[in-house]
């Protein structure tokens, strides 16, 4: 299980990762829900639009952290399927992602992740399924 019990533990966990490089700030994590923000700046295409891949990074981050919380002691979540539909673009500010559990099983967990802009307009919708594995078998 990934330790997200305190802001300090979460910061230590994401130090040096893609999560840190994209500027994602995780605001809430539980097995049923995770919420976080990501700046548009630094995560754009050459045309100045939020990169679709960055939206997927936010979605997979939030869903995976929630799945880790669901997994329990001695297990970690690894993504096995992700898809996303991009509804609109963002050019500035923060986007907010909310992962909501769809299925919390013994070996898998699935989440719908909605990403919205500062005006609460849906930017993207993603779906993530994670496999819950023994943390000694990772790698």
């Amino acid at each position: 299980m990934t330790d997200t019990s305190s802001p300090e533990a979460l910061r230590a966990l994401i130090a040096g990762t893609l999560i840190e490089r994209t500027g994602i700030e995780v605001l809430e994590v539980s097995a049923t829900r995770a919420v976080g923000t990501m700046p548009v700046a630094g995560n754009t295409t050459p045309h100045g639009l939020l990169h679709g891949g960055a939206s997927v990074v936010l979605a997979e981050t939030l869903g995976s952290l929630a799945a880790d919380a669901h997994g329990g002691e001695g297990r970690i979540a690894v993504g096995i399927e992700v898809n996303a539909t991009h509804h609109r673009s963002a050019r500035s500010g923060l986007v907010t992602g909310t992962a909501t559990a769809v299925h919390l099983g013994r070996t898998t967990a699935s989440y719908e992740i909605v990403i919205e802009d500062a005006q609460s307009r849906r930017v993207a919708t993603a779906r993530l399924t994670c496999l819950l594995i023994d943390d000694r078998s990772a790698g």
Side-chain angles (χ1 to χ4, degrees):
M1 179 173 149
T2 302
D3 182 10
T4 59
S5 59
S6 71
E8 296 79 22
L10 191 55
R11 276 193 295 279
L13 177 70
I14 67 172
T17 68
L18 181 60
I19 300 165
E20 182 179 64
R21 284 190 290 281
T22 55
I24 293 172
E25 182 178 344
V26 179
L27 306 174
E28 173 187 333
V29 177
S30 71
T32 59
R33 176 180 151 99
V35 180
T37 62
M38 181 179 68
V40 173
N43 295 306
T44 61
T45 68
H47 305 293
L49 305 173
L50 177 63
H51 196 291
S55 294
V56 174
V57 169
L58 177 59
E60 188 155 2
T61 296
L62 296 173
S64 293
L65 288 171
D68 271 338
H70 170 63
E73 191 67 34
R75 294 197 300 171
I76 61 171
V78 293
I80 58 172
E81 190 272 337
V82 63
N83 67 64
T85 300
H86 306 287
H87 306 291
R88 70 179 328 115
S89 181
R91 288 187 177 272
S92 63
L94 291 176
V95 290
T96 301
T98 303
T100 304
V102 174
H103 169 77
L104 296 175
R106 189 176 54 78
T107 59
T108 63
S110 296
Y111 294 84
E112 177 184 62
I113 304 94
V114 173
I115 300 173
E116 296 178 316
D117 65 14
Q119 290 76 39
S120 298
R121 297 177 299 191
R122 193 176 288 222
V123 172
T125 305
R127 188 174 172 104
L128 173 71
T129 299
C130 290
L131 180 66
L132 304 172
I133 63 169
D134 183 321
D135 68 356
R136 293 178 304 252
S137 63

